[in-house]
Amino acid sequence: QKEVEQNSGPLSVPEGAIASLNCTYSDRGSQSFFWYRQYSGKSPELIMFIYSNGDKEDGRFTAQLNKASQYVSLLIRDSQPSDSATYLCAVNTWYGQNFVFGPGTRLSVLP
Amino acid sequence: DTEVTQTPKHLVMGMTNKKSLKCEQHMGHRAMYWYKQKAKKPPELMFVYSYEKLSINESVPSRFSPECPNSSLLNLHLHALQPEDSALYLCASSQDRNSNQPQHFGDGTRLSIL
């Protein structure tokens, strides 16, 4: 069983729509959750992180965490073509071990 | 621009060459990481340094040799690499290994083995 799972996509949304990216994890001891954006050929760029159940908003981005259901999601409002990238979910366990990355979801925002 | 600086950005080397990748951060972070990333795959952890000591070696072949000269610098020495080692090599740092703080990535070194 994979520790962190994401739909590989591609997820296609029209410009201006809300893009919803989901991530599930298997380790109930996981404490912190991170979303990275990676453009083709570039390095991962931190978008948001969340530790507590509920929502956390930063501009057009909202991270949602539900520890009981073991999922974390990222919503991108008013999607732009420049948001087209691979989005990596990363989970850090309670015992301070390293990030476990999901396989990533490729998002395509269509003009 | 990132606060983690990696050099060189691109490297082409033969299988008999010896080269080094360099990484530097000035954020006062005490944990530094090397990752390998192949196309369309997530980053794959290679090594972790915590307070300048190697704390994790994820069964990486000995042709990759990490070094942490001080808290700001991380090197990856390469020797006798194979064509399948061609990849993007990423350096990252975080406040320390046991916090919940995120890892910050450098721009990476694109390595090609001939």
Side-chain angles (χ1 to χ4, degrees):
Chain A
Q1 181 184 3
K2 290 185 179 179
E3 296 183 64
V4 180
E5 299 196 43
Q6 299 179 253
N7 290 329
S8 61
L11 172 66
S12 295
V13 299
E15 184 175 355
I18 295 175
S20 178
L21 305 162
N22 298 316
C23 172
T24 59
Y25 59 94
S26 60
D27 188 340
R28 285 197 169 273
S30 300
Q31 291 291 303
S32 48
F33 307 86
F34 306 85
W35 284 101
Y36 288 84
R37 176 175 64 196
Q38 187 171 26
Y39 294 111
S40 180
K42 302 295 186 181
S43 65
E45 173 192 7
L46 180 69
I47 298 176
M48 292 189 71
F49 53 94
I50 186 167
Y51 305 142
S52 304
N53 277 330
D55 295 0
K56 179 181 179 182
E57 187 174 317
D58 184 1
R60 296 187 297 114
F61 299 97
T62 299
Q64 299 176 317
L65 175 60
N66 184 323
K67 288 187 177 181
S69 301
Q70 295 177 248
Y71 83 79
V72 56
S73 62
L74 179 70
L75 301 178
I76 307 175
R77 288 181 299 281
D78 188 23
S79 296
Q80 302 296 309
S82 58
D83 294 324
S84 298
T86 295
Y87 289 79
L88 295 163
C89 171
V91 175
N92 204 9
T93 59
W94 67 272
Y95 46 88
Q97 293 303 310
N98 304 290
F99 280 31
V100 178
F101 279 96
T105 297
R106 192 153 50 94
L107 172 67
S108 179
V109 180
L110 307 174
Chain B
D1 289 343
T2 63
E3 296 179 81
V4 177
T5 303
Q6 289 187 245
T7 56
K9 293 191 183 305
H10 303 275
L11 179 61
V12 179
M13 58 187 286
M15 288 189 284
T16 58
N17 292 157
K18 286 185 180 180
K19 296 286 185 184
S20 297
L21 308 185
K22 297 186 183 300
C23 175
E24 187 170 6
Q25 59 88 13
H26 293 288
M27 294 181 282
H29 289 173
R30 303 313 299 269
M32 297 185 75
Y33 310 80
W34 280 115
Y35 287 89
K36 173 184 178 181
Q37 188 176 27
K38 302 284 274 185
K40 300 189 188 302
K41 297 291 186 182
E44 178 185 339
L45 183 66
M46 300 175 72
F47 302 104
V48 180
Y49 273 84
S50 178
Y51 292 84
E52 296 107 74
K53 293 190 189 310
L54 182 64
S55 60
I56 289 184
N57 174 344
E58 290 286 359
S59 303
V60 179
S62 59
R63 56 186 184 268
F64 295 92
S65 175
E67 178 196 18
C68 189
N70 60 54
S71 60
S72 300
L73 293 174
L74 187 65
N75 298 321
L76 185 63
H77 303 298
L78 314 173
H79 174 54
L81 295 193
Q82 303 299 307
E84 62 265 28
D85 296 322
S86 298
L88 180 66
Y89 287 83
L90 295 162
C91 174
S93 70
S94 66
Q95 186 173 341
D96 60 56
R97 265 199 67 204
N98 295 321
S99 74
N100 285 326
Q101 294 301 306
Q103 293 183 17
H104 299 269
F105 286 84
D107 289 338
T109 293
R110 177 75 58 188
L111 177 64
S112 297
I113 307 300
L114 300 179

